[in-house]
Amino acid sequence: MNLSHFAEEDREEKRRRSPLATRRELLFIIFLTILSIPIVLYLLRGCKEHRDWVVSKQNLQAIGQAIQVYTHLNNEGLPPIAERRGTGIVHDRYGKPLIWASQVFGALSVRDAFDNPKLPTEWETEISIPGGRGESVPLGYGMLSALDTARLYEVARPSNVVLLAETICNGYGNSFDPLPIPGTPKDGFVIGYDDNNHFPTAKSKYVTRLAFFAENPSIPMEAREPLHRGRGTLALTVDGSILVLHASDQVVTKSGTLPTGLWAPFR
């Protein structure tokens, strides 16, 4: 068999191919490439959404573990929402309030656990690192204000009481943020209520500063979007379980006139 004959025919066939056909193939490849770009971007966005979800869950668990260390060293007492002197909030020399996150920062197993990967930086609160010479870290999680300095053994149904949740500060994203703690204009580190920052009352209707947002402020609270669209907003219970909160979970439930449920740990 004369292999050189076949090789010569192959070379001749390539020479006879139309340049137009080659250009068509090139254009087809370019078309497929352009067509695939939005698909790739969609898949990448989906990967990031999933990563943000996983990292935020891990962050909540790491913060919860740091709080466990704090309670072990403080006779089962949870940290204060903010240090107070008289009626005022205590600030460090860099102007940042000394809050629950400041108290437990040293016990964190993951240094960046306070930084919620789902939130833009301007939607978070900055706190100073104790002993950090002015270095700040972003905080995208809040602690339930009703648990301020509470003892763990005082908490009824710890598996069904929110300790921490993803929060948005300063009303960004049209989040409902009516009552900042005095002296802290970018308050996103506490989960309060629509009528006060301490305990739910008979008049309380909604929980505030949770990471639910809206395109405009007129959208009813219970219809707002969760931080992780299609999933929910993440929370950690007092016993360390992870909850996924939905819009209806922002409502303070009542037993008669008494608040009860996720947001009333002592009833």
Side-chain angles (χ1 to χ4, degrees):
M1 182 178 293
N2 190 346
L3 296 178
S4 63
H5 173 71
F6 289 107
E8 181 62 32
E9 286 186 346
D10 185 53
R11 285 193 293 271
E12 183 63 26
E13 175 63 25
K14 289 180 179 178
R15 283 194 294 269
R16 286 199 302 268
R17 291 185 65 183
S18 168
L20 180 60
T22 303
R23 285 197 295 272
R24 284 176 178 170
E25 291 171 357
L26 179 61
L27 290 172
F28 182 68
I29 292 172
I30 293 173
F31 171 76
L32 288 179
T33 301
I34 295 173
L35 186 66
S36 67
I37 288 174
I39 298 173
V40 171
L41 292 176
Y42 176 80
L43 292 174
L44 288 175
R45 187 178 69 178
C47 290
K48 184 182 185 306
E49 288 287 334
H50 180 70
R51 176 190 172 277
D52 289 346
W53 175 261
V54 171
V55 171
S56 193
K57 287 174 70 173
Q58 293 172 339
N59 285 353
L60 278 170
Q61 290 168 332
I63 300 169
Q65 290 167 0
I67 289 177
Q68 287 177 14
V69 172
Y70 179 93
T71 60
H72 178 72
L73 297 174
N74 289 274
N75 192 28
E76 294 195 63
L78 288 165
I81 291 294
E83 288 288 335
R84 293 173 176 83
R85 184 177 295 118
T87 58
I89 301 293
V90 178
H91 291 70
D92 63 23
R93 58 180 174 153
Y94 304 105
K96 300 292 193 305
L98 297 176
I99 63 169
W100 65 269
S102 310
Q103 301 282 353
V104 304
F105 181 83
L108 280 179
S109 58
V110 181
R111 189 181 185 279
D112 296 329
F114 287 145
D115 187 4
N116 190 329
K118 182 65 179 177
L119 293 182
T121 301
E122 65 270 20
W123 289 27
E124 298 180 308
T125 304
E126 283 195 349
I127 65 165
S128 295
I129 296 175
R133 297 183 180 180
E135 184 181 0
S136 296
V137 295
L139 175 63
Y141 306 91
M143 186 170 138
L144 185 65
S145 60
L147 292 171
D148 179 87
T149 68
R151 304 290 178 186
L152 290 180
Y153 51 77
E154 298 175 322
V155 180
R157 305 176 311 280
S159 63
N160 195 40
V161 172
V162 170
L163 173 63
L164 304 166
E166 297 176 307
T167 53
I168 293 175
C169 75
N170 215 37
Y172 279 101
N174 289 314
S175 60
F176 193 49
D177 191 26
L179 195 65
I181 284 184
T184 57
K186 283 189 69 176
D187 172 14
F189 53 75
V190 57
I191 302 167
Y193 309 92
D194 58 328
D195 61 339
N196 70 84
N197 272 329
H198 305 291
F199 289 89
T201 69
K203 295 182 180 180
S204 299
K205 187 176 181 183
Y206 297 115
V207 180
T208 68
R209 295 180 184 80
L210 290 183
F212 289 85
F213 53 93
E215 292 181 1
N216 66 72
S218 66
I219 294 177
M221 179 69 95
E222 61 270 25
R224 296 182 175 224
E225 290 284 346
L227 183 63
H228 306 275
R229 296 191 177 190
R231 294 190 179 188
T233 294
L234 289 165
L236 183 81
T237 63
V238 173
D239 79 337
S241 305
I242 293 289
L243 292 179
V244 180
L245 304 176
H246 301 285
S248 60
D249 296 318
Q250 296 177 97
V251 178
V252 178
T253 56
K254 303 277 177 51
S255 176
T257 59
L258 293 178
T260 185
L262 291 172
W263 315 108
F266 304 114
R267 299 189 191 279

